[in-house]
Amino acid sequence: MHCPFCRHPDSRVVDSREADDGVAIRRRRACPSCGKRFTTVETASLTVVKRSGATEPFSRAKVISGVRKACSGRPVDEDALARLAQQVEETVRASGCAEIAAHDVGLAILAPLRDLDDVAYLRFASVYRGFEHIGDFEAEIAELRTHQALLATAVDAAAVPRYGGAHDPAPPPVHATSAR
């Protein structure tokens, strides 16, 4: 790393820390020639390949912008949008590829958006998947209801009291109080 002050071709790392929710590394460096210190930020590059073949760097802001349109008029705050964008970036980076198709970014948006807001999900899915007929909406709504039913079943199952043991034996005995 060249020193930005004297252009010396070497520098020494003094401190390294995670930044931007672990997506970047902030390094504090010192130049052995002039003694000045400077900061660098390192990130793993992630490039989105658009349908046209053009490439651009992945942008959380662009994800938020697209989802914000679908959430227009819905009770979704900026923090929820930021968390969604972070989830999308983590999903995309987990693929391990330096380049990812824009289509795959859209797919990564659908699942967390479905959990965030049903109406925003339908709006986004209708544009993203190119719904052309009312049947497309009906099929997506049916799938959404199935997903909600599965979630409700999972929540109900988690609420069932468990008493321990491999086969969930009977509850512990109730001790009777003596009457005086």
Side-chain angles (χ1 to χ4, degrees), residues 158 160-173:
V160 173
R162 300 288 179 200
Y163 299 105
H167 300 289
D168 200 19

Side-chain angles (χ1 to χ4, degrees), residues 98-173:
E99 287 188 344
I100 188 156
H103 177 76
D104 294 335
V105 175
L107 289 176
I109 291 171
L110 287 173
L113 184 56
R114 180 180 56 209
D115 295 336
L116 182 65
D117 187 89
D118 298 340
V119 174
Y121 168 78
L122 278 173
R123 289 175 179 170
F124 189 87
S126 70
V127 172
Y128 180 72
R129 293 184 175 156
F131 290 3
E132 294 182 8
H133 306 287
I134 196 157
D136 296 336
F137 283 95
E138 290 170 343
E140 196 64 39
I141 289 170
E143 190 176 312
L144 194 55
R145 286 187 174 139
T146 302
H147 176 74
Q148 288 174 337
L150 288 173
L151 285 178
T153 303
V155 169
D156 290 344
V160 173
R162 300 288 179 200
Y163 299 105
H167 300 289
D168 200 19

Side-chain angles (χ1 to χ4, degrees), residues 48 70 72 101 146 166:
V48 177
S72 177
T146 302

Side-chain angles (χ1 to χ4, degrees), residues 46-124:
L46 180 60
T47 305
V48 177
V49 181
K50 304 183 101 178
R51 282 183 288 210
S52 66
T55 61
E56 64 181 46
F58 177 85
S59 167
R60 281 189 191 181
K62 197 162 183 179
V63 170
I64 291 171
S65 173
V67 173
R68 184 180 288 125
K69 293 171 190 167
C71 293
S72 177
R74 302 296 302 155
V76 177
D77 62 5
E78 289 298 313
D79 288 341
L81 292 176
R83 283 190 303 274
L84 182 138
Q86 181 177 350
Q87 281 181 287
V88 169
E89 184 172 1
E90 288 170 359
T91 300
V92 168
R93 285 190 184 278
S95 73
C97 298
E99 287 188 344
I100 188 156
H103 177 76
D104 294 335
V105 175
L107 289 176
I109 291 171
L110 287 173
L113 184 56
R114 180 180 56 209
D115 295 336
L116 182 65
D117 187 89
D118 298 340
V119 174
Y121 168 78
L122 278 173
R123 289 175 179 170
F124 189 87

Side-chain angles (χ1 to χ4, degrees), residues 7-27:
R7 303 299 300 157
H8 185 74
D10 195 20
S11 63
R12 182 173 55 90
V13 175
V14 178
D15 182 38
S16 293
R17 297 180 187 202
E18 282 187 3
D20 198 19
D21 298 321
V23 175
I25 298 175
R26 180 185 163 275
R27 297 197 194 278

